[in-house]
Amino acid sequence: MLRPGGVLALWWNQADIRVPWVAAEEDRLAPFTRGFPTTVAELFAPFPVRVATREIAWSRRITVEEHSRNLATHSHFVVMDPAERAQLLGANRTALARLFPDGELDEPYRCGLTVVRPAAAQG
């Protein structure tokens, strides 16, 4: 619930699929992400609201193992059969280990801000 004239501001990080290794990982994992919307703005399309977005790119240096543990916490993997999840994430970890033999990677993100306001009143 928002007060009259209030706005909803949503922030979150999404993997930056403009980076080739991230796009390849996204392709490997896509069949298991259960069709989530690509953008936050898509969620509000059916409603009479105005949506504005901004984006900031950033990254962090972490190990392949840390990246894999983080992926395992995402809801669409948590609800999977444990054996299937272990196999899928293990195969992804193996692919990343080939790409990053030193065991570290730069994990790129796009931090998005979506601001939702009521549509202007029809007069």
Short mmCIF file of all heavy atoms in Angstrom, two decimals, residues 34-62:
data_model
loop_
_atom_site.label_atom_id
_atom_site.label_comp_id
_atom_site.label_asym_id
_atom_site.label_seq_id
_atom_site.Cartn_x
_atom_site.Cartn_y
_atom_site.Cartn_z
N ARG A 34 12.31 -21.04 -15.17
CA ARG A 34 10.85 -21.02 -15.09
C ARG A 34 10.19 -19.78 -15.69
O ARG A 34 9.18 -19.30 -15.22
CB ARG A 34 10.39 -21.18 -13.65
CG ARG A 34 11.10 -22.27 -12.86
CD ARG A 34 10.43 -23.61 -13.04
NE ARG A 34 10.96 -24.59 -12.12
CZ ARG A 34 11.83 -25.54 -12.43
NH1 ARG A 34 12.29 -25.65 -13.66
NH2 ARG A 34 12.25 -26.39 -11.55
N GLY A 35 10.78 -19.19 -16.72
CA GLY A 35 10.15 -18.11 -17.47
C GLY A 35 9.94 -16.81 -16.72
O GLY A 35 8.93 -16.15 -16.91
N PHE A 36 10.87 -16.42 -15.90
CA PHE A 36 10.76 -15.14 -15.20
C PHE A 36 10.82 -14.00 -16.21
O PHE A 36 11.49 -14.10 -17.22
CB PHE A 36 11.88 -14.99 -14.16
CG PHE A 36 11.70 -15.85 -12.96
CD1 PHE A 36 12.35 -17.07 -12.86
CD2 PHE A 36 10.84 -15.47 -11.95
CE1 PHE A 36 12.18 -17.88 -11.75
CE2 PHE A 36 10.65 -16.27 -10.84
CZ PHE A 36 11.32 -17.48 -10.73
N PRO A 37 10.14 -12.87 -15.92
CA PRO A 37 10.19 -11.72 -16.84
C PRO A 37 11.62 -11.22 -17.01
O PRO A 37 12.43 -11.32 -16.10
CB PRO A 37 9.33 -10.66 -16.14
CG PRO A 37 8.51 -11.40 -15.16
CD PRO A 37 9.29 -12.62 -14.77
N THR A 38 11.91 -10.68 -18.17
CA THR A 38 13.24 -10.16 -18.44
C THR A 38 13.51 -8.86 -17.70
O THR A 38 14.61 -8.62 -17.24
CB THR A 38 13.42 -9.90 -19.95
OG1 THR A 38 12.68 -10.86 -20.68
CG2 THR A 38 14.85 -10.01 -20.33
N THR A 39 12.49 -8.02 -17.59
CA THR A 39 12.67 -6.74 -16.91
C THR A 39 11.56 -6.54 -15.89
O THR A 39 10.48 -7.11 -16.00
CB THR A 39 12.62 -5.56 -17.90
OG1 THR A 39 11.31 -5.47 -18.44
CG2 THR A 39 13.65 -5.72 -19.02
N VAL A 40 11.85 -5.69 -14.91
CA VAL A 40 10.86 -5.37 -13.89
C VAL A 40 9.68 -4.64 -14.52
O VAL A 40 8.53 -4.87 -14.16
CB VAL A 40 11.51 -4.49 -12.80
CG1 VAL A 40 10.49 -4.11 -11.75
CG2 VAL A 40 12.68 -5.22 -12.16
N ALA A 41 9.97 -3.76 -15.48
CA ALA A 41 8.91 -2.98 -16.11
C ALA A 41 7.83 -3.89 -16.71
O ALA A 41 6.65 -3.54 -16.70
CB ALA A 41 9.50 -2.06 -17.17
N GLU A 42 8.22 -5.06 -17.20
CA GLU A 42 7.25 -6.00 -17.78
C GLU A 42 6.18 -6.42 -16.76
O GLU A 42 5.04 -6.70 -17.13
CB GLU A 42 7.95 -7.26 -18.28
CG GLU A 42 8.76 -7.07 -19.54
CD GLU A 42 9.44 -8.36 -19.93
OE1 GLU A 42 8.76 -9.22 -20.51
OE2 GLU A 42 10.64 -8.50 -19.66
N LEU A 43 6.56 -6.48 -15.50
CA LEU A 43 5.62 -6.89 -14.46
C LEU A 43 4.47 -5.90 -14.30
O LEU A 43 3.37 -6.27 -13.88
CB LEU A 43 6.34 -7.03 -13.12
CG LEU A 43 7.41 -8.11 -13.03
CD1 LEU A 43 8.17 -7.98 -11.72
CD2 LEU A 43 6.80 -9.49 -13.17
N PHE A 44 4.73 -4.64 -14.63
CA PHE A 44 3.72 -3.59 -14.42
C PHE A 44 2.91 -3.26 -15.68
O PHE A 44 2.00 -2.43 -15.61
CB PHE A 44 4.40 -2.33 -13.88
CG PHE A 44 4.98 -2.54 -12.51
CD1 PHE A 44 6.32 -2.81 -12.35
CD2 PHE A 44 4.16 -2.51 -11.39
CE1 PHE A 44 6.85 -3.03 -11.09
CE2 PHE A 44 4.68 -2.74 -10.13
CZ PHE A 44 6.03 -2.99 -9.97
N ALA A 45 3.21 -3.89 -16.79
CA ALA A 45 2.53 -3.60 -18.05
C ALA A 45 1.00 -3.66 -17.96
O ALA A 45 0.33 -2.82 -18.55
CB ALA A 45 3.05 -4.51 -19.16
N PRO A 46 0.42 -4.60 -17.21
CA PRO A 46 -1.05 -4.66 -17.18
C PRO A 46 -1.72 -3.57 -16.34
O PRO A 46 -2.95 -3.47 -16.34
CB PRO A 46 -1.34 -6.03 -16.55
CG PRO A 46 -0.06 -6.75 -16.46
CD PRO A 46 1.03 -5.75 -16.55
N PHE A 47 -0.95 -2.76 -15.63
CA PHE A 47 -1.53 -1.82 -14.68
C PHE A 47 -1.47 -0.38 -15.19
O PHE A 47 -0.58 -0.03 -15.96
CB PHE A 47 -0.82 -1.94 -13.33
CG PHE A 47 -0.87 -3.33 -12.77
CD1 PHE A 47 0.24 -4.16 -12.85
CD2 PHE A 47 -2.03 -3.82 -12.19
CE1 PHE A 47 0.20 -5.45 -12.35
CE2 PHE A 47 -2.08 -5.11 -11.68
CZ PHE A 47 -0.97 -5.93 -11.77
N PRO A 48 -2.38 0.46 -14.72
CA PRO A 48 -2.40 1.86 -15.15
C PRO A 48 -1.36 2.69 -14.37
O PRO A 48 -1.69 3.47 -13.47
CB PRO A 48 -3.83 2.31 -14.82
CG PRO A 48 -4.20 1.47 -13.64
CD PRO A 48 -3.53 0.15 -13.86
N VAL A 49 -0.09 2.47 -14.69
CA VAL A 49 1.01 3.15 -14.01
C VAL A 49 2.03 3.66 -15.02
O VAL A 49 2.07 3.20 -16.16
CB VAL A 49 1.71 2.21 -12.99
CG1 VAL A 49 0.77 1.81 -11.87
CG2 VAL A 49 2.28 0.98 -13.69
N ARG A 50 2.84 4.60 -14.57
CA ARG A 50 3.99 5.07 -15.35
C ARG A 50 5.24 4.45 -14.73
O ARG A 50 5.39 4.44 -13.51
CB ARG A 50 4.09 6.59 -15.30
CG ARG A 50 2.95 7.28 -16.02
CD ARG A 50 3.07 8.80 -15.96
NE ARG A 50 3.00 9.23 -14.57
CZ ARG A 50 3.68 10.24 -14.05
NH1 ARG A 50 4.50 10.95 -14.78
NH2 ARG A 50 3.54 10.57 -12.78
N VAL A 51 6.11 3.94 -15.57
CA VAL A 51 7.32 3.27 -15.10
C VAL A 51 8.54 3.99 -15.67
O VAL A 51 8.60 4.26 -16.86
CB VAL A 51 7.33 1.79 -15.56
CG1 VAL A 51 8.60 1.10 -15.12
CG2 VAL A 51 6.11 1.05 -15.01
N ALA A 52 9.49 4.29 -14.79
CA ALA A 52 10.76 4.88 -15.21
C ALA A 52 11.88 3.97 -14.70
O ALA A 52 11.77 3.40 -13.61
CB ALA A 52 10.93 6.28 -14.64
N THR A 53 12.93 3.82 -15.51
CA THR A 53 14.03 2.95 -15.10
C THR A 53 15.37 3.65 -15.29
O THR A 53 15.51 4.52 -16.16
CB THR A 53 14.04 1.64 -15.92
OG1 THR A 53 14.18 1.96 -17.29
CG2 THR A 53 12.77 0.84 -15.71
N ARG A 54 16.33 3.26 -14.50
CA ARG A 54 17.73 3.69 -14.61
C ARG A 54 18.58 2.47 -14.32
O ARG A 54 18.15 1.54 -13.64
CB ARG A 54 18.07 4.80 -13.61
CG ARG A 54 17.29 6.08 -13.80
CD ARG A 54 17.72 6.78 -15.09
NE ARG A 54 17.04 8.04 -15.26
CZ ARG A 54 15.89 8.21 -15.88
NH1 ARG A 54 15.25 7.19 -16.39
NH2 ARG A 54 15.35 9.40 -16.02
N GLU A 55 19.82 2.53 -14.79
CA GLU A 55 20.69 1.37 -14.62
C GLU A 55 22.13 1.80 -14.38
O GLU A 55 22.60 2.77 -14.97
CB GLU A 55 20.60 0.54 -15.89
CG GLU A 55 21.34 -0.76 -15.82
CD GLU A 55 21.13 -1.54 -17.09
OE1 GLU A 55 20.10 -2.22 -17.20
OE2 GLU A 55 21.99 -1.44 -17.98
N ILE A 56 22.80 1.07 -13.51
CA ILE A 56 24.22 1.29 -13.23
C ILE A 56 24.93 -0.05 -13.39
O ILE A 56 24.51 -1.05 -12.79
CB ILE A 56 24.44 1.81 -11.80
CG1 ILE A 56 23.72 3.14 -11.60
CG2 ILE A 56 25.92 1.93 -11.47
CD1 ILE A 56 23.64 3.59 -10.17
N ALA A 57 25.99 -0.08 -14.18
CA ALA A 57 26.79 -1.31 -14.34
C ALA A 57 27.87 -1.34 -13.26
O ALA A 57 28.46 -0.30 -12.93
CB ALA A 57 27.42 -1.34 -15.72
N TRP A 58 28.12 -2.51 -12.70
CA TRP A 58 29.19 -2.69 -11.73
C TRP A 58 29.62 -4.15 -11.75
O TRP A 58 28.95 -4.99 -12.35
CB TRP A 58 28.74 -2.26 -10.32
CG TRP A 58 27.71 -3.15 -9.69
CD1 TRP A 58 26.37 -3.14 -9.92
CD2 TRP A 58 27.95 -4.20 -8.74
NE1 TRP A 58 25.75 -4.10 -9.16
CE2 TRP A 58 26.70 -4.76 -8.43
CE3 TRP A 58 29.09 -4.70 -8.13
CZ2 TRP A 58 26.57 -5.81 -7.53
CZ3 TRP A 58 28.95 -5.75 -7.22
CH2 TRP A 58 27.70 -6.29 -6.93
N SER A 59 30.74 -4.46 -11.12
CA SER A 59 31.19 -5.85 -11.05
C SER A 59 31.98 -6.07 -9.77
O SER A 59 32.38 -5.12 -9.09
CB SER A 59 32.05 -6.20 -12.26
OG SER A 59 33.27 -5.51 -12.22
N ARG A 60 32.18 -7.34 -9.47
CA ARG A 60 33.01 -7.71 -8.31
C ARG A 60 33.87 -8.90 -8.69
O ARG A 60 33.47 -9.73 -9.51
CB ARG A 60 32.15 -8.01 -7.09
CG ARG A 60 31.25 -9.22 -7.27
CD ARG A 60 30.41 -9.46 -6.05
NE ARG A 60 29.53 -10.62 -6.27
CZ ARG A 60 28.85 -11.21 -5.32
NH1 ARG A 60 28.92 -10.76 -4.08
NH2 ARG A 60 28.08 -12.25 -5.59
N ARG A 61 35.04 -8.98 -8.11
CA ARG A 61 35.96 -10.09 -8.35
C ARG A 61 35.71 -11.13 -7.26
O ARG A 61 35.82 -10.83 -6.07
CB ARG A 61 37.40 -9.61 -8.30
CG ARG A 61 38.39 -10.67 -8.67
CD ARG A 61 39.03 -10.31 -9.99
NE ARG A 61 40.00 -11.31 -10.39
CZ ARG A 61 39.93 -11.96 -11.52
NH1 ARG A 61 38.96 -11.68 -12.37
NH2 ARG A 61 40.82 -12.85 -11.85
N ILE A 62 35.32 -12.33 -7.67
CA ILE A 62 35.07 -13.42 -6.73
C ILE A 62 35.58 -14.73 -7.32
O ILE A 62 35.96 -14.79 -8.49
CB ILE A 62 33.56 -13.55 -6.37
CG1 ILE A 62 32.73 -13.90 -7.61
CG2 ILE A 62 33.05 -12.30 -5.69
CD1 ILE A 62 31.28 -14.25 -7.29
#
